[in-house]
Amino acid sequence: MNQFEFEQFLKFAEEEALSTKSDSEKIQDFILWCKKNNFEEIILRLSSEEKGGWSKNFCLDFTTTRIIVSKKRFLKKFVDLGYVAGLAPIPYMILSKKIKRSYVKKQYNDPPEDIIKRDRSNHYIPYSDIQQFIIRKGIETTVTNMVGTMIMKNFLTIKTVNKTYDFTLPVNKNGKFEQIHFWLSIVLPVNVTKLE
């Protein structure tokens, strides 16, 4: 989404009095606006990775129409800080109290089609193909320092007609389990099953 397109959304937001709505309603309205105007926009990104498995390190981009599974580039594994609470830059700006309209240029995302084409192993899962979507809280691990016990990772399973996808979600890059579940429930047009 470029700056002009974002300006169009802001006009819509003013007309619909979006500032009086809850954060979840604002994001849902943004998703509906994107669909109505044929924009595919990234709403949420989660980082999936496993230690010692370079081939199992992915970015999961939840757009307005699908989930894009893209292999992380070598350096991204080390410097990928993720998004704020998993939200992509534009949805995050929509929730911000002070929207700087010129900031859209600085927060530009790769278009979804470019992400898919970047690597031949990148692919997508249309929401219409999802039969079951399960997020499971990780098992608490004992740590031998003053922190005590902590959860190091959570798990995501997506079942489609033809395939089951399993992803490991490190807590340090994706945030708290409750936050992830909340935003997935808002963004996805499918039921999100939570297992604790």
Side-chain angles (χ1 to χ4, degrees), residues 90-101:
I90 291 177
Y92 182 72
M93 283 192 317
I94 291 167
L95 300 183
S96 175
K97 303 294 182 215
K98 297 177 184 176
I99 297 174
K100 295 180 182 175
R101 295 172 186 221

Side-chain angles (χ1 to χ4, degrees), residues 81-140:
L81 301 176
Y83 291 154
V84 179
L87 286 174
I90 291 177
Y92 182 72
M93 283 192 317
I94 291 167
L95 300 183
S96 175
K97 303 294 182 215
K98 297 177 184 176
I99 297 174
K100 295 180 182 175
R101 295 172 186 221
S102 62
Y103 199 57
V104 175
K105 287 181 183 176
K106 297 175 186 173
Q107 294 299 319
Y108 178 73
N109 286 315
D110 287 339
E113 286 302 323
D114 289 356
I115 294 171
I116 293 169
K117 291 175 187 173
R118 194 168 41 222
D119 189 294
R120 64 187 167 137
S121 66
N122 294 354
H123 61 282
Y124 65 92
I125 306 166
Y127 293 136
S128 58
D129 287 359
I130 297 174
Q131 293 184 319
Q132 203 171 16
F133 192 99
I134 303 164
I135 182 165
R136 182 170 51 88
K137 196 170 191 174
I139 298 169
E140 290 190 13

Side-chain angles (χ1 to χ4, degrees), residues 35-157:
K35 287 179 178 179
K36 182 180 176 185
N37 293 285
N38 294 319
F39 291 119
E40 183 180 19
E41 189 64 36
I42 296 171
I43 306 297
L44 183 73
R45 173 176 287 164
L46 294 176
S47 180
S48 172
E49 59 185 49
E50 291 185 18
K51 289 184 179 178
W54 287 107
S55 63
K56 295 186 179 184
N57 294 314
F58 301 104
C59 284
L60 307 174
D61 289 309
F62 296 83
T63 77
T64 49
T65 60
R66 58 189 167 174
I67 302 167
I68 299 173
V69 181
S70 58
K71 190 174 179 184
K72 283 188 183 179
R73 295 182 219 166
F74 180 76
L75 290 176
K76 196 131 182 146
K77 171 155 174 41
F78 302 105
V79 295
D80 181 23
L81 301 176
Y83 291 154
V84 179
L87 286 174
I90 291 177
Y92 182 72
M93 283 192 317
I94 291 167
L95 300 183
S96 175
K97 303 294 182 215
K98 297 177 184 176
I99 297 174
K100 295 180 182 175
R101 295 172 186 221
S102 62
Y103 199 57
V104 175
K105 287 181 183 176
K106 297 175 186 173
Q107 294 299 319
Y108 178 73
N109 286 315
D110 287 339
E113 286 302 323
D114 289 356
I115 294 171
I116 293 169
K117 291 175 187 173
R118 194 168 41 222
D119 189 294
R120 64 187 167 137
S121 66
N122 294 354
H123 61 282
Y124 65 92
I125 306 166
Y127 293 136
S128 58
D129 287 359
I130 297 174
Q131 293 184 319
Q132 203 171 16
F133 192 99
I134 303 164
I135 182 165
R136 182 170 51 88
K137 196 170 191 174
I139 298 169
E140 290 190 13
T141 309
T142 303
V143 178
T144 58
N145 59 21
M146 293 175 58
V147 176
T149 61
M150 60 190 298
I151 294 173
M152 300 302 290
K153 51 188 144 184
N154 296 307
F155 304 94
L156 176 63
T157 300

